Each structure stands twice: as structure tokens, then as C-alpha cells.
């Protein structure tokens, strides 16, 4: 049975597991990373890992979610903080999402090995993640609500509308299957189509 840790020890161990997780996931991938790879640098027994995380997949999600606030700031800087035009802001936002996925090391790891993405997806607690995401999306939801109040974005739940923008993630996920020229064209076209659906006309979903 794992020994009890003090609160100070728990905090230190959790930080070490997060640090080890980032290094191991980027080096070996999610599938090949073992619990021993994670607990060794943290100085704890394998069984003690489960006092902190239910699985290595949960650890991966925690590491990724830790990056979300900074990522959200970059997305807002590239979109709603860069233009007063709601449609243009939505287009820039979706293009920024694609760039984040393409350049973020953790995201890139999943895209380079689709089996990693499938493994992670099968283990996620989506209700919990959605609840956590809603808090992190707060600045973006506020920008949506303000644009709705001005009649520039269709009526509806700002959170649901934000999730609709996630359709753009299908583009980088399938990049290797799309010819480069077509990919570049879709990178410009798809955000425009989605943005048009959310802004033209602004009363479209009011009913």
C-alpha cells in the first residue's frame, strides 16, 4: 500500500510527475511511456502514481490543459483583440486554432501518430473536460456574448457556438491526407464558411 504523503510532498510530487510526463510524452509518445518512466523522476513507487492520477492519459490531459490559459490569450490576441469586425475575428480565431494545433508540441505528437489520438480519446472523461474547458474559455465566451449583444453574431449559447468553431480542427488532423495546395486553400476557405454561418445574418439562429 502506498505510503501517505504530506500536503507539501503531494504538491512537489505532482509537479515532478507533470514535468516527467511532458518530457516522456514528447520523447516516447503516450503509448510507449510507462508508469515507471513517470514515477522514477518523481522518486515514488509505481503504485503511488495512482494517488495522483487515474492513468497516464489523465496526466497527459492535465499537462495539455495547463497550457490552455496561455493558449487562450494567444488566440484572443490574434482575433477579437485584433479587430472589431466579428466575422474577421472569427476567421482569424479559427486560423489561429489551426496554427496552435500545428505548432504545439503536444498536439503535434498526437497528429503525427493517429493511434495516440485514438488511445487518448477512448480514455477521456468528456463531461469533466467540457466543464473545465468552460472556465478556461471564459474570456472567449465574453467576447462572443459582447458580439451577440451588438447583433454581430447569431443568437445561441456562446459555449455551444465556441464548440462549433472546433470543426476547424478536422483540417490539421487530416493534413497528411490532403494535397498541400488544397490544404492551403481550405485553410483560407473553411474559416470563412463557418464564420458566415455564425454572422450572416445575425438573426439566423434566433428562433
Amino acid at each position: 500500500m502506498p505510503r501517505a504523503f504530506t500536503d507539501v510532498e503531494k504538491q512537489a510530487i505532482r509537479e515532478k510527475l507533470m514535468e516527467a510526463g511532458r518530457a516522456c510524452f514528447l520523447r516516447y509518445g503516450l503509448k510507449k511511456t510507462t508508469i515507471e518512466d513517470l514515477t522514477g523522476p518523481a522518486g515514488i513507487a509505481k503504485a503511488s502514481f495512482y494517488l495522483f492520477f487515474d492513468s497516464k492519459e489523465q496526466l497527459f490531459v492535465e499537462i495539455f490543459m495547463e497550457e490552455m490559459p496561455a493558449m487562450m490569450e494567444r488566440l484572443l490576441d490574434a482575433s477579437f483583440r485584433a479587430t472589431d469586425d466579428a466575422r474577421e475575428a472569427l476567421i482569424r480565431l479559427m486560423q489561429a486554432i489551426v496554427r496552435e494545433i500545428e505548432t504545439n508540441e503536444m498536439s503535434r505528437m498526437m497528429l503525427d501518430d493517429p493511434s495516440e489520438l485514438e488511445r487518448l480519446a477512448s480514455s477521456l472523461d468528456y463531461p469533466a473536460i467540457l466543464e473545465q474547458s468552460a472556465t478556461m474559455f471564459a474570456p472567449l465566451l465574453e467576447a462572443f456574448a459582447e458580439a451577440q449583444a451588438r447583433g454581430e453574431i447569431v443568437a445561441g449559447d456562446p459555449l455551444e457556438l465556441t464548440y462549433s468553431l472546433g470543426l476547424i480542427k478536422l483540417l490539421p488532423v487530416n493534413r497528411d491526407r490532403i494535397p498541400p495546395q488544397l490544404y492551403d486553400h481550405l485553410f483560407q476557405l473553411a474559416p470563412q464558411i463557418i464564420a458566415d454561418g455564425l454572422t450572416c445574418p445575425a438573426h439566423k439562429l434566433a428562433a
Side-chain angles (χ1 to χ4, degrees):
M1 180 176 181
R3 76 173 182 85
F5 297 104
T6 67
D7 290 342
V8 173
E9 287 176 324
K10 287 179 181 178
Q11 180 61 32
I13 291 171
R14 184 180 178 84
E15 291 175 359
K16 289 179 180 179
L17 287 172
M18 296 281 283
E19 182 179 347
R22 170 176 287 280
C24 290
F25 293 144
L26 291 176
R27 182 174 182 180
Y28 306 120
L30 180 60
K31 182 178 181 179
K32 292 183 179 179
T33 294
T34 67
I35 298 300
E36 289 86 349
D37 290 331
L38 301 170
T39 56
I44 61 174
K46 178 180 176 180
S48 295
F49 174 86
Y50 299 99
L51 296 175
F52 299 89
F53 300 98
D54 293 336
S55 64
K56 61 182 180 180
E57 287 79 16
Q58 184 190 31
L59 172 59
F60 180 93
V61 172
E62 287 291 325
I63 293 171
F64 191 81
M65 296 299 281
E66 191 176 61
E67 297 184 0
M68 285 296 293
M71 186 185 301
M72 185 59 61
E73 288 298 307
R74 292 193 294 271
L75 294 177
L76 285 169
D77 286 343
S79 57
F80 283 94
R81 293 172 182 166
T83 177
D84 293 329
D85 184 292
R87 178 178 180 276
E88 179 64 22
L90 291 172
I91 291 172
R92 294 187 185 188
L93 175 63
M94 284 180 277
Q95 291 177 336
I97 290 173
V98 171
R99 294 190 189 98
E100 282 284 344
I101 294 174
E102 291 178 336
T103 58
N104 182 281
E105 291 182 304
M106 300 292 279
S107 296
R108 189 70 258 166
M109 180 194 79
M110 304 306 291
L111 296 182
D112 288 342
D113 186 351
S115 66
E116 297 274 37
L117 187 61
E118 179 63 28
R119 179 182 178 85
L120 181 63
S122 65
S123 67
L124 294 181
D125 181 353
Y126 281 103
I129 291 176
L130 291 178
E131 183 177 351
Q132 190 175 0
S133 297
T135 299
M136 295 183 178
F137 288 168
L140 180 57
L141 298 180
E142 182 178 348
F144 259 73
E146 291 175 353
Q148 286 178 311
R150 297 192 300 269
E152 298 172 356
I153 290 180
V154 296
D157 183 340
L159 184 58
E160 292 181 359
L161 297 183
T162 300
Y163 288 150
S164 72
L165 300 180
L167 294 172
I168 199 64
K169 290 183 289 187
L170 294 173
L171 191 58
V173 167
N174 292 283
R175 180 164 192 162
D176 292 341
R177 302 181 181 90
I178 303 174
Q181 186 173 0
L182 176 58
Y183 184 89
D184 292 340
H185 183 64
L186 292 176
F187 176 75
Q188 300 296 328
L189 181 61
Q192 294 180 40
I193 293 173
I194 297 173
D196 284 343
L198 291 172
T199 60
C200 304
H203 63 274
K204 187 174 180 181
L205 298 182

